[in-house]
C-alpha cells in the first residue's frame, strides 16, 4: 500500500487534487470527504441553472462518487463532515450521516474546504425568504421557491460576482430585481469609472440599482419581505438573495496547529504547504499572494483553486510545483455585455501608494467596415517603467480574448511595449490589423515616451480655469449633443487654421469622443509651441464615469426588457449605421432626416453604445420626435419622426429655460431653501447654476481644516467664519446654535432631506455649483477648502448663465 492521502472538500480544489494524484500515483490510498451530497459540481453554473440558460440539473453534476471510483479508484465519502483535525497524531475526525462519528489517519492531508456565504447578524433575518447560494441544495431551494411561489420581485443584497449573476438570471425569469450595494459601486475588481458602464447596462435591462446603501434590518411582512436600508429607505420584495461575500470555511481547523491568517484563511507557502509539512491547502480557503503587488490577498475563483489542486498533487508525488500568486483575472456577463478585469485597480494601487498611470481606449471589437463590430471600453493601468499593473474592459464582443491577451503578457512579466508587439490573429470579422490590445499598448507607450501627456476625467473638475483652456475638438453636431462644461469648440480638422486665435500662455486640455482626435489635436498643438494634454478616453469615458443609477423604481407590471430592437412601428426609410462610431450615426441621421418629408419616420440601426443616449438628446435639441429607441445587446434601434414645427419650439424653449440662483447668504435656512429650489428645478430637467458669493461661500467649505498657505488677515477671517454647511446658523431664532440643531432634528424626524444630502444630490444631479472667484479672493478662501464638485467662476460666467435663464433668484 502506498501513502494515505485524505482530502477535505470534494469540489474544485479537492477533486482536482484527487484526480491528478491518481494519475501520478496508482498506489496511493486516496479518501475524499465531502460534507454535502454532491462532489465536483459546477458552482459557477448554478445561477444560470436558476435563470434557465442551463436547462438540465444533471449537467451541473460534473462527477459522481461512483464515476470517481470507477475511473480514479478514489474513495469518495459524501455526507461526511470533517469536524476536527489532530495534527499531532495525524488524525481527522469525521461526522458521517451514514457511519456516525469516526476517525481516519493520514500520511498527507489536503484541505480544500472553500468559502461559505458571509451572513452578518441582521435583525429580522428570515430564512424562509432570504437565500444564499453556494451549492446544489441552495440552488434547489431558490428554484423551488420561484417555481412554487411565482415571485414578481427580488432583492439581491451585494453586487459581487454571485449577486450580479443572480440579478441577471432572476431578471431572465421575469422577476423585477433590485440590487442593494453598500459600497459606492458594485463589482470590487473594477474601478468606479469602468463599472459605471456595467451599472448602466444593468439599469437599461430593468434592474434597480441602489449604491452606497447597505442593509440595516428586515421587517416582517405577510407573504413578503421589507428590507430597511442604512439611510432608512425601504425595499419591498417577495424574497432576497444575500450575496455580500464569502468567508473561509475553516472553523474545523481551530486548535489544529495549522496556522490561519487574520481573516481565518489558511496560510500556505509557495508549494501550498501549510505551517505543517505534510498538510497542504488550496482554493478559496487559502491566503494567496497578489501577483502584482506581492501582498496577501483573497481571491475566491475557480481557476486558482483548480490549479492549486494540481500543484498539491505534484508536490505530494515528488514533483516540485509552485503557485506564484494570483492575478485575479475575472470576467462577468451582464446581459449582453461583458466586463473583465485583471491585476490591480486604481483603488488598490492608491491604497498601497504604488505610482501608476492610466489610459482609456474605445476601439472597435473588429474592423468597422465589416458588419457587427461593437466598441470596447478598455482601461490600462501601468507605470512609467512600462510594467502593466492592471486592465479592465467592457464591451459586447471580444472582451474575453482581449483580457486574456493582456493577462498572459502580465503573467509573463511582459511590458507595455510587448502589447504593441503582440502579433494577434486578424481578419475583418474578428479584429483589426491593430488589435485593441495593440492600441492600448500604443497609447500607453505614447504616455511613457512623452508624446501624449494625458489627463483623466477626474482632472477636469480640478483644473485651474485661469491657466488652462478646455478644448473640445469634436464636430459641432457632437458638441450640440453634450459637452463638458466650460469647453470651447474647435473641430480638429479646423485647428491648424485657427492656431493664431489660441493663447500660448495657456495650457490646452484637449478632448474628443474617445481620445484619438484629441491625441491628433494635442500633437498639432505641441508641435506648434503650445502646451497641451489629451483627455484619455475622451468624452465617452467622462460621460460613462458620471453615470449614477436612478435608484428604486417600482414597476408594478414589470416584464423583461425587449430582447432586441423589434417593434411593429412603421417607417418610411431605414438607415444602417451599424459599425459607425460617433458622430457617424448622428451625422447620418441628421442627413437622412433633412432629406425626408415632415411626418415621415426614419428607422436607424446603430451599434455605437453612445447612440442610445445621443439620439434622445439629438431629438430633444432638434425637436424631432423620438417614437422609440431600444437596445438589444449591442444593437440600438431608433424610430424618429421628422417634425420641424417642434424643432423651432424646442429651440425657443431651450434658449431661455435655465435657472440661476445667486447665493449670497450663509444662513442655514436660506441655504436649505436655495438647494431645495435648485434640486426641484433640476429634477424637472432644467439647467441650474448656483453662484455662491460672499457669505454663501461658507456653505461650500469642507468641514475639516485644510492646510493651505494664507496670509495673516486671510487666516483670521477664515477662522471667524463657519467652516462648512454643518456649522451654519439660522437667520432668526438661532439661540446660540440651539435653533440650527432644532431645525435639523425636525427635518430628520419628518424625513426631510438634510442640507448635506441636498448639496450632494445637487452635485450628483449635475447642478452647476460655482464659487465666485472675486469673493474667494476677498474672503481669503482657497479652492482646496471647498467641497468636491465646486467650480470656480467669475461674474462673467454667472452673467453668461443668467442670460440664458428665465428665473434668476438672489438668496
Ligand atoms: P469549493 O469548490 O467550494 O469546495 C469546497 C467543498 O468543501 C464544499 O463542497 C464544502 O461542502 C466542502 N467542505 C467544507 N468544509 C468541509 C469539511 N469540514 N468537511 C467536509 N467537506 C467540507 N469562480 C470563477 O472563477 N468563475 C465563476 O464564474 C464563478 N462563479 C461562481 C458562482 C457561484 C454561485 C459560486 C458559489 C462560486 C463561483 N465561483 C466562480 C467560485 C468558485 O466556485 C470557487 O472559487 C471554487 O469552487 C473554490 O474551490 P474550493 O475547492 O476552494 O472550494
Amino acid at each position: 500500500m502506498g501513502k494515505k492521502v485524505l482530502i477535505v472538500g470534494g469540489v474544485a480544489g479537492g477533486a482536482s487534487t484527487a484526480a491528478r494524484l491518481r494519475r501520478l500515483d496508482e498506489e496511493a490510498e486516496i479518501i475524499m470527504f465531502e460534507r454535502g451530497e454532491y462532489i465536483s459540481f459546477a458552482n459557477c453554473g448554478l445561477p444560470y441553472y436558476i435563470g434557465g440558460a442551463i436547462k438540465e440539473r444533471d449537467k451541473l453534476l460534473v462527477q459522481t462518487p461512483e464515476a470517481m471510483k470507477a475511473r480514479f479508484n478514489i474513495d469518495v465519502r459524501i455526507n461526511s463532515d470533517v469536524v476536527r483535525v489532530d495534527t499531532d497524531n495525524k488524525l481527522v475526525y469525521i461526522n458521517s450521516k451514514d457511519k456516525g462519528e469516526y476517525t481516519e489517519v493520514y500520511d498527507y492531508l489536503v484541505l480544500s474546504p472553500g468559502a461559505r456565504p458571509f451572513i452578518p447578524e441582521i435583525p429580522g433575518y428570515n430564512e424562509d425568504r432570504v437565500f444564499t447560494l453556494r451549492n446544489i441544495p441552495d440552488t434547489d431551494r431558490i428554484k423551488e421557491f420561484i417555481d412554487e411561489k411565482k415571485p414578481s420581485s427580488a432583492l439581491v443584497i451585494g453586487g459581487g460576482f454571485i449577486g450580479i449573476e443572480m440579478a441577471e438570471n432572476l431578471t431572465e425569469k421575469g422577476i423585477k430585481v433590485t440590487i442593494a450595494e453598500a459600497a459606492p459601486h458594485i463589482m470590487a475588481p473594477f474601478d468606479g469609472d469602468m463599472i459605471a458602464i456595467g451599472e448602466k447596462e444593468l439599469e437599461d435591462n430593468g434592474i434597480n440599482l441602489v449604491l452606497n446603501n447597505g442593509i440595516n434590518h428586515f421587517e416582517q411582512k405577510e407573504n413578503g419581505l421589507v428590507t430597511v436600508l442604512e439611510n432608512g429607505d425601504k425595499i419591498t420584495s417577495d424574497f432576497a438573495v444575500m450575496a455580500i461575500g464569502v468567508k473561509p470555511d475553516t472553523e474545523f481547523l481551530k486548535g489544529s496547529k495549522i496556522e490561519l491568517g487574520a481573516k481565518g484563511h489558511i496560510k500556505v507557502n509557495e508549494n501550498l504547504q501549510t505551517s505543517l509539512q505534510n498538510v497542504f491547502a488550496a482554493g478559496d480557503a487559502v491566503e494567496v499572494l497578489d501577483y502584482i503587488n506581492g501582498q496577501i490577498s483573497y481571491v475566491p475563483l475557480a481557476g486558482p483553486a483548480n490549479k492549486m489542486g494540481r500543484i498539491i498533487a505534484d508536490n505530494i508525488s515528488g514533483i516540485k510545483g509552485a503557485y506564484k500568486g494570483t492575478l485575479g483575472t475575472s470576467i462577468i456577463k451582464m446581459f449582453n455585455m461583458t466586463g473583465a478585469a485583471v491585476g490591480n485597480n486604481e483603488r488598490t494601487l492608491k491604497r498601497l501608494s504604488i505610482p501608476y498611470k492610466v489610459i482609456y481606449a474605445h476601439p472597435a471589437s473588429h474592423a468597422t467596415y465589416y458588419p457587427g463590430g461593437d466598441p470596447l471600453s478598455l482601461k490600462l493601468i501601468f507605470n512609467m517603467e512600462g510594467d502593466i499593473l492592471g486592465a479592465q474592459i467592457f464591451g459586447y464582443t471580444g472582451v474575453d480574448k482581449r483580457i486574456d491577451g493582456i493577462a498572459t503578457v502580465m503573467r509573463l512579466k511582459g511590458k507595455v511595449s510587448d502589447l504593441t508587439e503582440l502579433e494577434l490573429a486578424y481578419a475583418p470579422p474578428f479584429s483589426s490589423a491593430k488589435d485593441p490590445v495593440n492600441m492600448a499598448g500604443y497609447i500607453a507607450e505614447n504616455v511613457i515616451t512623452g508624446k501624449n501627456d494625458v489627463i483623466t476625467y477626474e482632472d477636469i473638475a480640478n483644473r485651474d480655469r485661469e491657466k488652462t483652456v478646455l478644448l473640445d475638438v469634436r464636430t459641432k453636431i457632437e458638441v450640440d449633443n453634450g459637452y463638458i462644461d466650460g469647453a470651447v469648440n474647435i473641430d480638429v480638422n479646423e485647428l491648424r487654421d485657427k492656431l493664431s486665435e489660441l493663447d500660448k500662455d495657456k495650457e490646452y486640455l484637449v478632448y474628443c469622443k474617445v481620445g484619438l482626435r484629441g491625441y491628433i489635436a494635442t500633437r498639432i498643438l505641441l508641435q506648434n509651441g503650445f502646451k497641451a494634454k489629451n483627455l484619455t478616453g475622451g468624452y465617452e469615458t467622462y460621460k460613462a464615469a458620471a453615470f449614477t443609477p436612478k435608484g428604486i423604481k417600482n414597476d408594478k407590471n414589470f416584464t423583461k426588457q425587449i430582447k432586441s430592437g423589434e417593434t411593429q412601428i412603421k417607417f418610411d426609410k431605414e438607415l444602417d449605421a451599424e459599425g459607425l462610431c460617433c458622430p457617424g450615426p448622428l451625422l447620418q441621421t441628421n442627413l437622412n432626416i433633412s432629406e425626408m418629408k415632415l411626418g415621415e419616420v426614419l428607422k436607424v440601426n446603430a451599434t455605437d453604445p453612445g447612440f442610445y443616449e445621443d439620439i434622445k438628446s439629438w431629438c430633444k435639441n432638434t425637436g424631432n420626435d423620438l417614437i422609440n429607441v431600444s437596445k438589444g445587446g449591442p444593437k440600438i434601434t431608433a424610430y424618429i419622426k421628422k417634425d420641424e414645427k417642434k424643432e423651432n419650439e424646442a429651440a425657443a424653449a431651450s434658449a431661455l429655460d435655465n435657472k440661476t440662483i445667486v447665493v449670497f447668504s450663509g444662513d442655514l435656512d436660506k441655504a436649505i431653501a436655495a438647494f431645495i429650489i435648485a434640486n426641484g428645478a433640476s429634477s424637472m430637467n432644467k439647467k441650474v447654476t448656483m453662484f455662491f458669493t460672499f457669505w454663501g461661500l461658507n456653505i461650500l467649505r469642507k468641514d475639516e481644516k485644510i492646510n493651505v498657505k494664507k496670509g495673516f488677515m486671510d487666516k483670521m477671517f477664515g477662522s471667524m467664519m463657519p467652516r462648512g454647511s454643518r456649522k451654519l446658523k439660522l437667520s432668526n431664532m438661532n439661540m446660540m446654535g440651539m435653533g440650527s440643531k432644532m431645525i435639523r432634528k425636525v427635518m430628520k424626524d419628518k424625513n426631510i432631506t438634510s442640507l448635506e444630502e441636498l448639496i450632494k444630490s445637487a452635485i450628483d444631479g449635475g447642478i452647476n455649483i460655482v464659487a465666485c472667484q472675486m469673493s474667494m479672493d476677498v474672503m481669503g478662501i482657497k479652492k482646496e477648502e471647498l467641497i468636491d464638485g465646486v467650480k470656480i467662476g467669475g461674474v462673467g460666467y454667472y452673467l453668461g448663465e443668467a442670460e440664458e435663464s428665465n428665473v434668476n433668484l438672489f438668496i
Side-chain angles (χ1 to χ4, degrees):
M1 191 53 106
K3 50 182 92 88
K4 183 169 174 182
V5 183
L6 302 187
I7 300 173
V8 183
V11 191
S16 151
T17 309
R20 170 78 172 168
L21 195 56
R22 174 58 74 225
R23 288 195 292 270
L24 295 174
D25 186 349
E26 197 53 25
E27 296 300 312
E29 184 188 355
I30 308 170
I31 306 175
M32 188 166 84
F33 299 103
E34 167 54 52
R35 182 192 287 143
E37 195 182 333
Y38 303 94
I39 58 155
S40 208
F41 59 86
N43 337 41
C44 312
L46 303 180
Y48 298 97
Y49 171 63
I50 293 171
I54 299 172
K55 299 255 174 305
E56 293 156 46
R57 187 176 178 277
D58 281 355
K59 290 247 161 84
L60 299 171
L61 306 171
V62 184
Q63 270 288 3
T64 60
E66 297 73 31
M68 278 290 261
K69 176 75 186 164
R71 179 153 306 169
F72 297 109
N73 188 24
I74 287 162
D75 180 356
V76 178
R77 302 189 189 169
I78 56 169
N79 296 318
S80 301
D81 196 3
V82 173
V83 289
R84 190 160 86 83
V85 178
D86 172 359
T87 50
D88 289 336
N89 297 301
K90 294 192 174 173
L91 207 59
V92 300
Y93 288 72
I94 302 111
N95 195 349
S96 157
K97 212 170 164 186
D98 311 321
K99 293 196 207 166
E101 284 186 16
Y102 68 100
T103 57
E104 281 286 353
V105 289
Y106 62 81
D107 297 318
Y108 289 94
L109 176 63
V110 180
L111 305 167
S112 193
R116 57 170 68 203
F118 175 61
I119 306 173
E121 278 185 23
I122 301 169
Y125 190 88
N126 170 358
E127 279 186 0
D128 295 338
R129 289 195 181 262
V130 184
F131 299 88
T132 55
L133 180 62
R134 180 186 189 187
N135 49 33
I136 301 271
D138 294 342
T139 311
D140 291 340
R141 278 184 68 219
I142 298 175
K143 198 132 196 323
E144 220 174 272
F145 183 90
I146 295 173
D147 292 345
E148 267 179 25
K149 302 266 182 344
K150 311 260 178 290
S152 60
S153 58
L155 170 66
V156 171
I157 303 165
F161 282 96
I162 296 175
I164 298 305
E165 288 176 359
M166 278 308 293
E168 173 180 352
N169 280 288
L170 293 175
T171 307
E172 292 293 348
K173 301 260 340 155
I175 297 170
K176 175 74 187 173
V177 177
T178 299
I179 300 171
E181 165 62 58
H185 287 282
I186 58 167
M187 301 291 300
F190 295 90
D191 287 311
D193 48 14
M194 292 300 288
I195 194 59
I197 301 169
E199 288 169 348
K200 182 162 189 320
E201 179 73 7
L202 295 179
E203 200 174 79
D204 287 347
N205 279 280
I207 289 182
N208 287 332
L209 204 51
V210 179
L211 301 178
N212 239 338
N213 208 350
I215 57 166
N216 187 284
H217 64 277
F218 295 108
E219 283 174 3
Q220 300 301 328
K221 179 185 172 247
E222 208 181 324
N223 298 328
L225 193 69
V226 175
T227 309
V228 183
L229 303 179
E230 288 295 355
N231 73 345
D233 281 355
K234 292 185 178 180
I235 296 172
T236 306
S237 62
D238 294 322
F239 70 107
V241 177
M242 173 81 83
I244 59 170
V246 291
K247 62 173 192 175
D249 206 342
T250 53
E251 286 284 313
F252 71 105
L253 295 176
K254 279 198 178 142
S256 68
K257 297 189 179 160
I258 296 166
E259 202 183 330
L260 302 181
K263 296 188 174 177
H265 295 80
I266 306 165
K267 284 192 169 289
V268 287
N269 65 15
E270 217 190 35
N271 306 115
L272 300 172
Q273 225 162 17
T274 66
S275 52
L276 301 176
Q277 212 186 0
N278 49 355
V279 182
F280 291 82
D284 292 359
V286 304
E287 280 185 353
V288 290
L289 289 187
D290 184 298
Y291 194 72
I292 298 297
N293 61 49
Q295 305 285 315
I296 286 172
S297 181
Y298 316 102
V299 186
L301 289 173
N306 277 279
K307 288 177 187 76
M308 288 183 201
R310 187 182 164 95
I311 291 170
I312 290 174
D314 283 357
N315 282 323
I316 292 175
S317 310
I319 304 166
K320 267 269 172 267
Y323 187 78
K324 296 186 187 127
T326 298
L327 268 175
T329 316
S330 54
I331 191 158
I332 181 131
K333 175 177 172 307
M334 292 185 178
F335 295 93
N336 292 297
M337 199 170 238
T338 309
V342 60
N344 287 179
N345 59 23
E346 285 196 69
R347 259 193 330 278
T348 304
L349 295 168
K350 274 185 191 144
R351 178 168 52 80
L352 299 173
S353 304
I354 298 174
Y356 66 89
K357 288 266 170 190
V358 170
I359 61 101
Y360 301 86
H362 300 276
S365 60
H366 66 238
T368 48
Y369 56 81
Y370 186 87
D374 323 303
L376 295 165
S377 293
L378 193 159
K379 174 176 183 172
L380 190 73
I381 310 178
F382 55 98
N383 62 22
M384 290 303 269
E385 285 73 51
D387 303 310
I388 308 160
L389 305 176
Q392 296 161 42
I393 311 179
F394 265 92
Y396 291 100
T397 27
V399 171
D400 47 354
K401 67 171 179 169
R402 270 59 189 232
I403 207 77
D404 284 345
I406 297 173
T408 307
V409 174
M410 288 170 74
R411 184 78 204 179
L412 300 174
K413 298 271 182 210
K415 299 261 180 182
V416 161
S417 56
D418 292 302
L419 296 183
T420 68
E421 288 170 21
L422 282 182
E423 193 183 318
L424 300 166
Y426 160 62
F430 305 102
S431 180
S432 299
K434 287 179 193 156
D435 187 87
V437 171
N438 300 134
M439 289 305 296
Y442 291 131
I443 301 171
E445 202 172 57
N446 281 338
V447 172
I448 293 171
T449 55
K451 288 188 195 67
N452 185 18
D453 199 356
V454 290
I455 52 163
T456 68
Y457 70 95
E458 285 172 313
D459 300 326
I460 294 285
N462 304 323
R463 69 189 189 274
D464 184 335
R465 284 173 184 254
E466 292 297 312
K467 296 186 181 147
T468 61
V469 175
L470 193 55
L471 182 61
D472 185 332
V473 294
R474 297 174 302 158
T475 56
K476 183 167 179 315
I477 190 168
E478 290 170 277
V479 176
D480 284 347
N481 249 18
Y483 54 89
I484 303 178
D485 198 38
V488 291
N489 175 224
I490 302 176
D491 189 321
V492 63
N493 296 341
E494 296 162 12
L495 186 60
R496 284 189 187 84
D497 299 334
K498 295 195 173 169
L499 287 175
S500 59
E501 295 170 22
L502 305 184
D503 181 351
K504 285 211 162 132
D505 291 334
K506 303 265 179 176
E507 179 175 57
Y508 285 85
L509 307 179
V510 183
Y511 74 91
C512 64
K513 164 96 173 164
V514 296
L516 183 60
R517 282 171 290 168
Y519 171 52
I520 295 166
T522 308
R523 293 300 302 157
I524 295 173
L525 290 169
L526 288 173
Q527 292 182 70
N528 282 282
F530 292 91
K531 290 172 274 183
K533 285 181 180 159
N534 183 23
L535 173 64
T536 181
Y539 188 65
E540 185 89 4
T541 296
Y542 180 85
K543 216 171 68 177
F547 170 75
T548 40
K550 293 187 185 79
I552 307 163
K553 257 178 36 195
N554 279 322
D555 308 3
K556 283 253 166 357
N557 301 314
F558 172 75
T559 44
K560 211 168 77 55
Q561 296 280 300
I562 313 161
K563 270 247 178 243
S564 67
E566 326 121 23
T567 69
Q568 297 303 316
I569 299 165
K570 283 196 178 145
F571 56 91
D572 301 287
K573 194 174 180 190
E574 186 164 9
L575 163 65
D576 177 14
E578 285 186 19
L580 291 181
C581 286
C582 183
L586 276 186
L587 288 172
Q588 291 295 323
T589 304
N590 202 31
L591 189 72
N592 278 268
I593 283 280
S594 69
E595 289 166 354
M596 290 170 74
K597 293 195 197 107
L598 274 181
E600 282 185 339
V601 174
L602 175 71
K603 177 182 179 188
V604 186
N605 303 310
T607 46
D608 176 34
F611 185 70
Y612 187 68
E613 293 300 331
D614 284 353
I615 194 63
K616 294 178 193 167
S617 39
W618 182 84
C619 285
K620 207 167 147 207
N621 286 338
T622 57
N624 288 292
D625 195 3
L626 182 62
I627 302 172
N628 182 280
V629 59
S630 61
K631 210 154 104 162
K635 309 255 178 292
I636 297 160
T637 311
Y639 292 85
I640 303 145
K641 189 167 153 197
K642 175 154 175 162
D643 193 343
E644 241 170 29
K645 197 162 142 271
K646 263 169 71 190
E647 197 170 316
N648 300 333
E649 282 169 10
S654 72
L656 261 186
D657 202 18
N658 301 342
K659 318 286 166 206
T660 38
I661 305 176
V662 179
V663 186
F664 174 83
S665 164
D667 294 334
L668 176 65
D669 39 354
K670 291 179 186 165
I672 293 169
F675 275 99
I676 287 177
I677 297 168
N679 279 308
S682 171
S683 70
M684 291 161 72
N685 286 332
K686 309 294 174 200
K687 186 180 172 198
V688 182
T689 299
M690 299 178 80
F691 190 72
F692 291 79
T693 179
F694 283 94
W695 313 114
L697 284 173
N698 292 326
I699 306 168
L700 304 181
R701 289 180 77 189
K702 288 179 181 157
D703 293 344
E704 72 272 18
K705 189 172 185 321
I706 306 293
N707 284 328
V708 278
K709 260 197 173 166
K710 281 190 182 186
F712 177 72
M713 283 298 283
D714 286 351
K715 249 191 210 162
M716 279 269 293
F717 216 31
S719 66
M720 283 156 56
M721 289 185 304
R723 195 182 295 131
S725 59
R726 287 193 171 77
K727 307 261 167 56
L728 302 182
K729 296 176 181 162
L730 278 183
S731 58
N732 279 309
M733 297 196 319
N734 188 51
M735 299 177 292
M736 309 202 32
M738 282 289 290
S740 308
K741 283 196 183 123
M742 275 163 62
I743 203 152
R744 281 184 182 274
K745 177 163 184 337
V746 172
M747 285 173 75
K748 193 167 178 231
D749 292 348
K750 299 202 170 169
N751 255 342
I752 300 171
T753 319
S754 69
L755 175 58
E756 290 67 39
E757 285 164 334
L758 286 167
I759 296 174
K760 184 173 182 310
S761 95
I763 292 170
D764 292 349
I767 291 178
N768 259 334
I769 308 279
V770 185
C772 170
Q773 178 70 66
M774 184 275 295
S775 305
M776 284 173 65
D777 292 343
V778 171
M779 302 180 74
I781 295 179
K782 304 282 177 215
K783 196 175 121 199
E784 295 81 349
E785 292 179 89
L786 300 181
I787 55 175
D788 295 341
V790 174
K791 298 166 188 162
I792 315 288
V795 174
Y797 183 90
Y798 157 68
L799 289 173
E801 294 298 320
E803 273 295 285
E804 292 182 2
S805 301
N806 57 358
V807 169
N808 187 18
L809 301 175
F810 188 92
I811 296 180

